[in-house]
Amino acid sequence: MPVKVSVVIPVYNPGNYIEDCIASLRRQSLPPDEFEAIFVDDGSTDDTPARLDAVAAEVENIKVIHQEASGWSGKPRNVGIAASEGEFVMFVDNDDYLGDEALERMYDYAVANGADVVVGKMAGKGRGVPVELFRRNHPRATVDNAPLIDSLTPHKMFRRAFLDRIGLRFPEGRRRLEDHVFVTEAYLRADNVSVLSDYVCYYHLKRDDASNAGFQRFDPVGYFANLREALDVVEKYTEPGKTRDRLFRRWLRNEMVERMRGRRLLSAPEDYRQELFKEIRSVVVERFGPGVAAGLQPTQQVVAALIADGRLDDLVKFAEWEVSVTPTAVPDGVEWDGGVLRIGLSAELASGDTPMTFPAKGSKEPLAGPPASVQEAVDWVGAHSVAGFGRATVEVLLTERTSSAQFFQPVEFTRETVPAEGDGRVRLVVRGTATVDPATAADGGPLDAGLYDVFVRVKLGGWTKQSRLGPVTLKGRTAADAGVAGGRVVLPYWTAKQGTLALDVDTASKRLELGRLTPGEVTVSGDRVEVPVPFHVPGETPVLLKLTGGSGTAPRQVPGTLRPKGEAAVLEAVLPLAELGTTPWQVALSPAPDAAEPRFHPLPFALRVKAGRVQVSAVRPPRPGVGQRLARRARPLARKVLRRIRARGK
């Protein structure tokens, strides 16, 4: 069968980090005879060459090429392209890995849309990945209608015939940004680029030893000489004007301005800071017209202007002010509503430990030139923040703790200008309610089992800043009852260390508080049993009971339902009395029996049929203690604290 995809992996001394990469290739849903993996070992000096040879001997569609060290990733990728037999070529780094369905989904998407390039959604574990690009699928993306230029790493799928037709290969040798040159030209010359955003295709890792190539200190002279080559590609394939300025803006923002602001600038050694500044300024003055910086956010415009004006000392002072600006996101209620979770919040910027204040009257006056002083720059940013407050937004993302996959959730919000105390200035506050539907929260599909941290992303005052939702004082407590919805058991809780909001999906046990039930709460009428349980359900919900008797007795599974009753639910089931006999049966509940791996939670009572009647007895006599008393008080205390939070925000 023809090979659909060739996966090319350049390799140099990855150590154990390569194991996740190998495992993800072996887990691919695309049949093994429809793709090949080509590891190009670029002169590794660790045990990797022998490890790869052993894998290739075991797995037919994995190949290994050994070559002398070339110094960087360009040559091994080109060698992999030359050896590839696939219709498409996918590039993966040796310390990253693929989603299990990545190759199949990306290939099918490429064929369906006639794409020369497919960009699959990425998740960054310890490192940043584009967020805006993956808000939705873009079947026909261009540099004009989608933020493609935000993603210039090579971890994409390219049509091999397209690469051959335009003669596109990676620059070789020991150099930086070879992927920028390659990917930029691909974007600008492809007949179509498709962005697949509804499945995490690529997991981009920061190694624990921080030895990823992109995290190493570099020579500024060589780095920015290589950067100019990417700018040359843009100039070759675009005309002067808005498109070129917007593309150039990506390098000005990411590779220059962001290196000269905030903690990134302040943490750089002074001599290295000066080297960077010198090379960055030379590129800014040499290559960028006024239209490039004009499209940046206000704070970035200030930094760009100070760079062009040669004022490193003022850049440091401006960075010291910027690092004092942090986002705050205060919870304002967490509750279930008809099978979806509503999360209320208020977000604003703070300076130090106090809310940030702004002038009461804004201004849209453009930055005509470099500000005369840092204070003038701060005042200009503040006035622009007020004038642009009508464009401020708040977003809520769920971030899966293990994989770092991120999922946007719908948010309704309002903007409020709140008078500050005493000085005629104002606070800029965004209040919102996010809706989490467990059935659709993961890019339109259900959430997988795991722990999800709730992040709030605030766009306000020219900044885009992200923080967790919280903290509150109820560390380690539940924020609301568990909800059984969308085939998932979702428990909102406050994290034990930080007191920030997180969601436990299908992994909670003790936190569900089923152990608090007592035999006296169990109602039996004939063969029907009813038990109140601390769950939210949107309507009648099918569940499963497992009855476990003594040794030698086969367990029984009994269908049941959860139905809403007040703020909780009632478990109902019809018992097979004739099958139970006189053996005591311990009871366990699976609230989501259709899950991929349904879990049964023990209930603290047993059932026994005697003289035709069902008797209920405790499995473990309740032993109230300090922890149990605190657990019983958790919900009312949570509601009390949240009422105080609401009152403070008004």
Side-chain angles (χ1 to χ4, degrees):
M1 180 174 290
V3 176
K4 293 180 177 178
V5 183
S6 296
V7 184
V8 173
I9 309 101
V11 178
Y12 182 74
N13 287 354
N16 288 333
Y17 288 96
I18 203 168
E19 296 301 331
D20 285 341
C21 180
I22 294 170
S24 76
L25 291 166
R26 300 187 71 169
R27 290 195 306 266
Q28 287 301 300
S29 60
L30 193 66
D33 61 348
E34 295 184 10
F35 80 96
E36 61 180 358
I38 304 171
F39 288 90
V40 183
D41 173 42
D42 197 45
S44 292
T45 58
D46 62 3
D47 295 334
T48 302
R51 169 62 178 144
L52 291 177
D53 288 340
V55 173
E58 179 185 346
V59 184
E60 187 174 353
N61 67 332
I62 290 181
K63 305 174 183 177
V64 181
I65 298 172
H66 299 284
Q67 64 180 32
E68 293 184 1
S70 66
W72 211 249
S73 300
K75 183 174 181 179
R77 290 195 185 109
N78 290 340
V79 168
I81 294 172
S84 66
E85 299 179 4
E87 183 183 352
F88 286 84
V89 178
M90 174 81 193
F91 297 105
V92 176
D93 280 353
N94 59 193
D95 39 23
D96 297 335
Y97 62 93
L98 294 169
D100 293 355
E101 301 173 21
L103 298 182
E104 182 178 18
R105 286 178 179 251
M106 293 176 75
Y107 176 83
D108 289 347
Y109 199 62
V111 172
N113 295 293
D116 289 328
V117 183
V118 179
V119 186
K121 181 174 180 177
M122 304 173 72
K125 299 185 69 174
R127 59 190 307 168
V129 297
V131 175
E132 296 295 333
L133 179 59
F134 300 118
R135 282 181 173 274
R136 62 178 180 83
N137 286 343
H138 296 270
R140 302 196 65 81
T142 69
V143 294
D144 290 311
N145 68 17
L148 285 175
I149 203 65
D150 287 352
S151 179
L152 292 180
T153 62
H155 314 120
K156 299 162 179 61
M157 189 176 285
F158 300 85
R159 190 182 296 273
R160 170 68 190 276
F162 162 68
L163 299 180
D164 291 343
R165 174 169 56 82
I166 68 172
L168 184 58
R169 295 295 188 269
F170 288 91
E172 297 184 2
R174 186 165 182 79
R175 48 164 296 126
R176 294 275 182 167
L177 304 180
E178 81 291 340
D179 47 357
H180 287 207
V181 175
F182 182 93
V183 175
T184 300
E185 183 168 348
Y187 284 160
L188 294 175
R189 300 187 69 184
D191 289 337
N192 184 38
V193 179
S194 295
V195 180
L196 177 64
S197 301
D198 58 7
Y199 179 79
V200 180
C201 299
Y202 196 93
Y203 292 87
H204 203 26
L205 274 66
K206 179 180 179 181
R207 289 167 56 156
D208 294 336
D209 58 6
S211 62
N212 305 73
F215 285 92
Q216 304 305 304
R217 178 167 166 169
F218 58 81
D219 166 39
V221 174
Y223 186 91
F224 288 101
N226 295 154
L227 184 146
R228 286 177 172 88
E229 296 176 33
L231 302 181
D232 291 341
V233 172
V234 174
E235 288 187 342
K236 182 175 181 179
Y237 295 106
T238 65
E239 296 295 327
K242 291 183 178 180
T243 296
R244 180 181 292 182
D245 285 349
R246 185 172 61 254
L247 298 181
F248 275 179
R249 194 173 299 134
R250 183 259 176 239
W251 283 278
L252 174 60
R253 180 185 65 239
N254 290 23
E255 308 298 334
M256 302 177 203
V257 166
E258 289 302 314
R259 296 182 190 277
M260 290 284 109
R261 68 185 292 214
R263 287 187 175 84
R264 197 167 179 184
L265 175 64
L266 298 178
S267 64
E270 187 172 352
D271 58 340
Y272 188 57
R273 183 190 299 172
Q274 292 174 348
E275 287 183 66
L276 279 173
F277 177 74
K278 178 182 176 181
E279 294 305 317
I280 287 172
R281 183 170 184 269
S282 69
V283 178
V284 169
V285 173
E286 167 194 325
R287 301 296 291 264
F288 298 147
V292 180
L296 295 173
Q297 295 292 342
T299 50
Q300 294 170 336
Q301 288 188 48
V302 168
V303 173
L306 293 175
I307 290 171
D309 206 35
R311 292 159 57 185
L312 178 57
D313 289 344
D314 280 348
L315 281 170
V316 172
K317 293 177 184 177
F318 190 74
E320 290 170 346
W321 171 73
E322 268 206 279
V323 297
S324 73
V325 178
T326 57
T328 62
V330 179
D332 188 21
V334 180
E335 59 185 9
W336 288 98
D337 178 15
V340 299
L341 190 65
R342 309 284 187 195
I343 303 173
L345 60 95
S346 299
E348 63 182 310
L349 297 178
S351 182
D353 296 326
T354 60
M356 191 172 177
T357 63
F358 299 83
K361 186 176 181 181
S363 170
K364 295 183 179 180
E365 189 71 24
L367 190 65
S373 66
V374 172
Q375 186 57 54
E376 182 179 296
V378 171
D379 292 342
W380 182 82
V381 170
H384 263 257
S385 300
V386 176
F389 187 46
R391 298 189 300 275
T393 62
V394 63
E395 298 167 323
V396 170
L397 298 95
L398 301 183
T399 301
E400 203 280 318
R401 202 171 290 173
T402 301
S403 68
S404 298
Q406 293 184 310
F407 306 103
F408 282 98
Q409 305 303 303
V411 183
E412 294 182 356
F413 62 87
T414 58
R415 307 175 186 92
E416 183 178 344
T417 301
V418 179
E421 294 183 4
D423 57 2
R425 293 170 67 84
V426 297
R427 293 162 48 202
L428 304 179
V429 182
V430 184
R431 305 189 193 279
T433 301
T435 300
V436 179
D437 183 345
T440 60
D443 293 331
L447 293 168
D448 289 335
L451 301 178
Y452 294 78
D453 291 302
V454 179
F455 281 86
V456 177
R457 195 164 177 255
V458 184
K459 291 184 179 180
L460 193 161
W463 290 279
T464 298
K465 291 183 175 287
Q466 183 169 292
S467 69
R468 286 181 167 88
L469 182 57
V472 300
T473 58
L474 299 172
K475 295 181 179 181
R477 308 288 180 81
T478 57
D481 281 338
V484 182
R488 300 291 187 268
V489 180
V490 180
L491 178 67
Y493 70 98
W494 307 109
T495 58
K497 287 186 177 181
Q498 297 174 311
T500 55
L501 186 63
L503 305 182
D504 183 314
V505 179
D506 282 345
T507 70
S509 54
K510 290 183 179 179
R511 279 201 182 108
L512 296 180
E513 299 183 352
L514 294 172
R516 292 171 49 202
L517 299 172
T518 63
E521 296 175 278
V522 181
T523 301
V524 179
S525 178
D527 60 357
R528 180 176 294 274
V529 62
E530 293 186 1
V531 187
V533 289
F535 289 146
H536 166 84
V537 289
E540 193 168 288
T541 302
V543 298
L544 197 62
L545 292 178
K546 182 166 68 174
L547 307 181
T548 305
S551 59
T553 306
R556 306 285 198 275
Q557 291 196 347
V558 179
T561 59
L562 292 176
R563 62 174 175 81
K565 186 175 182 180
E567 295 184 357
V570 172
L571 167 65
E572 298 177 335
V574 175
L575 302 173
L577 298 185
E579 301 177 19
L580 300 185
T582 59
T583 301
W585 297 86
Q586 295 190 10
V587 185
L589 168 65
S590 177
D594 294 330
E597 297 182 9
R599 303 174 73 234
F600 284 89
H601 302 277
L603 300 181
F605 59 84
L607 303 175
R608 181 177 185 176
V609 180
K610 192 171 183 179
R613 297 172 61 87
V614 178
Q615 296 180 343
V616 183
S617 60
V619 173
R620 298 186 188 92
R623 293 180 296 174
V626 173
Q628 192 173 30
R629 290 198 298 271
L630 288 174
R632 289 173 178 171
R633 294 167 53 193
R635 286 194 193 84
L637 184 56
R639 287 193 286 269
K640 184 177 180 181
V641 169
L642 289 173
R643 282 197 297 271
R644 289 177 179 172
I645 291 170
R646 291 192 190 100
R648 273 204 310 270
K650 293 180 180 178

